[in-house]
Amino acid sequence: MSRLKIAIQKSGRLHDKSIELLKDCGVSVQNGKDQLKVRAANFPLDILYLRNSDIPKYLEDGVADIAIVGENLLIEKQKNVSVIRPLGFSKCRVSLAVPKSVSTDDLSYFNGKRIATSYPNTLKRFLDAEGIQANIHQIAGSVEIAPSIGLADGVCDIVSSGSTLFKNGLRETQVILRSEAVLAKAPDLSPEKEAILDKLCFRIDAVLRGKASKYVLLNVPNEKVEAVSALLPVLKSPTILPLAQEGWSSLHTVIGESQFWDVIEELKAAGAEDILVIPIDKIVR
């Protein structure tokens, strides 16, 4: 029987989130110490723990069939792989930053300057598109230290909260691209492996929809049910159940995380009371 091989980061935040997603999808992952390959017990999936920067190449070569990897890395490496879907976690941006002593945010500052980066291809494409002539110094790690030791006049690096830049006396000036973890696949998967991938994606989609939504129960006077219902951004229509107290009903619905607080405020203003909010594990369609 065919088994799908998925590559994930060997260690770090992306590793932890990837394992969490697989477990939420019902995939049993038992990690042995220092194991670089693990076989799922209850799903035809083998997990390969690889160095993050190597994943795009292994994916292109077919050593791995699919991977959970940062989109920024795929853009930098430019391998022949395709993104199946974004996963909504490990969000970051690739940005230019300068020493705090530099007062301008203008991109022209970098003309003729030295920029240290672990993303030379991404940076070069951006600078070429903007007509900026700069000297790119490729560094494998600890990019933020480059200006303070005189190696560069600025940096181009991944930024999440910005705290690492701040601690190293830098500030962000230009965002080159925004990124998050994505599910990517190798070219030319066999029909058998495509079928397994479809099953995995079905589970992933159910988990992601659940994480992006809240289940909401609210009590409403019967004369206000129609007005309150009109405010609800529901999957189909709200469930309406009569309460033991005459003249009142309970409405059950699902609200997207991004809309949640605005909608709740509108519901309160329209007459909803005793609003109960419950996290959703999965939404299967």
Side-chain angles (χ1 to χ4, degrees), residues 20-179:
E20 179 184 328
L21 176 61
L22 292 176
K23 289 183 176 180
D24 286 342
C25 290
V27 178
S28 178
V29 181
Q30 301 295 330
N31 289 359
K33 186 178 180 181
D34 298 326
Q35 280 186 283
L36 298 180
K37 180 180 178 182
V38 174
R39 173 165 288 208
N42 61 345
F43 193 84
L45 189 70
D46 292 336
I47 299 98
L48 309 179
Y49 298 114
L50 303 175
R51 192 171 65 176
N52 200 44
S53 59
D54 292 337
I55 290 177
K57 178 61 175 171
Y58 279 116
L59 201 57
E60 182 182 53
D61 291 346
V63 174
D65 300 311
I66 60 173
I68 297 175
V69 64
E71 187 177 17
N72 58 295
L73 189 59
L74 295 181
I75 292 171
E76 171 64 22
K77 298 295 185 180
Q78 292 187 295
K79 300 299 182 182
N80 179 30
V81 301
S82 55
V83 172
I84 304 172
R85 56 185 35 71
L87 298 175
F89 57 82
S90 294
K91 293 186 177 182
C92 66
R93 54 198 181 272
V94 178
S95 296
L96 286 165
V98 299
K100 293 177 184 177
S101 59
V102 176
S103 59
T104 182
D105 287 352
D106 199 287
L107 192 58
S108 62
Y109 163 81
F110 290 99
N111 260 318
K113 297 293 198 303
R114 302 162 298 166
I115 308 175
T117 186
S118 298
Y119 295 88
N121 297 323
T122 302
L123 176 58
K124 186 176 187 308
R125 286 193 298 272
F126 175 78
L127 295 178
D128 288 348
E130 296 293 333
I132 301 296
Q133 299 292 322
N135 298 312
I136 298 174
H137 290 255
Q138 184 174 356
I139 299 177
S142 302
V143 170
E144 297 87 353
I145 200 174
S148 65
I149 61 175
L151 183 62
D153 304 294
V155 303
C156 173
D157 202 14
I158 286 181
V159 179
S160 295
S161 66
S163 61
T164 303
L165 291 179
F166 181 81
K167 291 174 183 176
N168 285 276
L170 302 173
R171 61 182 188 85
E172 188 177 6
T173 60
Q174 300 279 338
V175 176
I176 292 179
L177 65 87
R178 298 186 184 276
S179 175

Side-chain angles (χ1 to χ4, degrees), residues 227-245:
V228 169
S229 296
L231 298 173
L232 296 173
V234 297
L235 296 176
K236 291 189 183 296
S237 61
T239 299
I240 303 175
L241 300 172
L243 293 180
Q245 182 177 347

Side-chain angles (χ1 to χ4, degrees), residues 2-5 65 189-198:
S2 291
R3 295 183 67 86
L4 199 66
K5 294 174 291 184
D65 300 311
L189 289 188
S190 68
E192 293 81 6
K193 290 188 175 183
E194 286 282 4
I196 299 171
L197 177 57
D198 287 343

Side-chain angles (χ1 to χ4, degrees), residues 209-220:
R209 281 193 294 264
K211 289 182 181 296
S213 306
K214 300 289 186 185
Y215 189 75
V216 180
L217 299 84
L218 51 147
N219 296 335
V220 184

